[in-house]
Amino acid sequence: LCSDVRRRIQEKIAQTFGISSSAMYLTKPTFFSRINSTEAKTTHDEYWHPHIDKMTYGSFDYTSLLYLSDYAEDFGGGRFVFMDEGSNKTIEPRTGRVSFFTSGSENLHRVEKVHWGTRYAVTISFTCNPDHGIGDPVL
């Protein structure tokens, strides 16, 4: 299932950005996130700060998020916000919704603090550098 989901997301990103999916490699960290209203214990837990994935993770060229819970039903807050000059663009997570974007400075973003409930998502990232590629996770 994980490999199939990764492949489908990879193909859609490649199609959207006009590149070959064979030139994209899964990269780390690919991770499951569970965000709730508990206080951050480390700076890595402070997800609400604006950031650029390429600067934060280094190997990311394309970032995707697969949402596993619903905004306003399973949690409050926790929307994904692209911080564009002049007007932000906000994505409301919905179970099964996938959002993806290039990971560079053109996509400064953050996640709103979760006020109640739990927000679940999987981040699946890709690189165009085969040296930073990893295999699919083995369960």
Side-chain angles (χ1 to χ4, degrees), residues 31 35 40-49 51 56-57:
F31 56 91
I35 302 173
K41 293 181 175 78
T42 71
T43 56
H44 296 292
D45 296 335
E46 295 179 355
Y47 57 86
W48 55 86
H49 296 296
H51 67 279
T56 302
Y57 300 109

Side-chain angles (χ1 to χ4, degrees), residues 103-122:
S103 305
S105 60
E106 67 281 359
N107 283 312
L108 177 68
H109 61 276
R110 68 181 185 87
V111 173
E112 296 173 331
K113 285 187 178 184
V114 171
H115 303 294
W116 59 268
T118 305
R119 177 191 189 268
Y120 294 99
V122 177

